[in-house]
Structures are given as structure tokens and as C-alpha cells.
Amino acid sequence: MFEKTEKYTWGAFEEDCKKIAEWAKGRHIKNIYGIPRGGLVVAVKLSHLLDAPLVLNRDDISRDTLIVDDIVDKGDTVRRLLANIGEHHHVASIFSNKFAKRMPNFFVRENTIWVVFPWETERTSKYDQTI
């Protein structure tokens, strides 16, 4: 657990999603899947930016699906997902920890402190520590 927290803003979110969208435009992306919880918010925004539909069922993920999350901390969630569906997928996140077990293919910011996103509260962000 990080001792300090960072309050991430909606403005930063907008700018960072544009950066992910620019990166994704260089790939063959047909749809977007957001890893629950925070990845869902990112997926909706990228769906609009890339004019690509959302995938809501994990069984519908294909090699042309952009898998997104708000933060890859330990990398366990991404690693478990890819262990079930295969490694050959595009994975992006806003934040990533350089010590993650499974790094995304693209990320915008390195995280060094606990991030509280604008769609959560400091109290509810703690729920994601155990996921």
C-alpha cells in the first residue's frame, strides 16, 4: 500500500485517453474491453474516441480487442485475464507500475503513489487493492 495518494483529475483523464487512442489507431482495433472496475470507465471513453464498440463479455474478446484498465499495479489482473484468453492482445492503461508482473503494451503514466480516480472516493478506491 502506498502511503501517499494522488487525486487524478477529469482533465488529466481526457488528455491521457487521447494519448491511448492515438497509440491504438496504429493497431487493428475492432472493439474495446474494460477490465472491471476502473477499466470500464476508460473503455467507454476510448469507445467514443475510437468509434469502436464495447465488449462486455470476456468471451467476446478477440485479438482485435483493445483491453484497457485504469491502472496496472501488480499486474495480477491483466496476467490472469491473458492466461485465460491468450497473450496476443493489445493492452493499455493510464497508469502502470514498472514492477508489474505483466506490463501493458502501452501506458501513459508510471504510478508511484496510490491514485484516486475522479469516479471513485478515497474510501472506495481501497476496494481495488484486493482485486
Side-chain angles (χ1 to χ4, degrees):
M1 164 78 182
F2 297 107
E3 291 184 21
K4 295 183 180 181
T5 62
E6 172 185 345
K7 293 197 179 214
Y8 183 71
T9 67
W10 282 113
F13 172 74
E14 292 287 334
E15 291 303 313
D16 291 347
C17 283
K18 288 176 187 174
K19 291 174 184 174
I20 295 171
E22 282 301 312
W23 171 81
K25 286 179 183 174
R27 278 102 192 117
H28 191 259
I29 304 295
K30 288 187 177 177
N31 49 42
I32 302 166
Y33 175 80
I35 296 175
R37 293 184 343 160
L40 295 169
V41 180
V42 179
V44 169
K45 182 62 181 179
L46 289 171
S47 172
H48 291 289
L49 289 174
L50 295 169
D51 192 22
L54 288 178
V55 170
L56 299 175
N57 186 332
R58 193 174 87 171
D59 295 336
D60 296 330
I61 296 172
S62 73
R63 284 187 171 195
D64 298 323
T65 301
L66 173 59
I67 299 168
V68 296
D69 207 351
D70 55 355
I71 189 165
V72 173
D73 187 30
K74 294 177 187 170
D76 289 334
T77 306
V78 171
R79 188 176 47 81
R80 280 192 308 267
L81 175 64
L82 295 178
N84 288 318
I85 64 171
E87 279 288 326
H88 305 288
H89 291 83
H90 309 286
V91 179
S93 66
I94 296 173
F95 285 88
S96 185
N97 183 326
K98 66 181 179 181
F99 300 109
K101 294 174 189 169
R102 173 49 164 93
M103 295 287 292
N105 302 101
F106 180 82
F107 66 95
V108 181
R109 299 170 184 252
E110 182 179 331
N111 76 304
T112 57
I113 61 176
W114 188 259
V115 179
V116 179
F117 292 94
W119 51 86
E120 59 189 9
T121 67
E122 205 160 324
R123 182 178 61 81
T124 62
S125 75
K126 305 293 189 254
Y127 299 148
D128 293 329
Q129 291 181 43
T130 59
I131 295 177

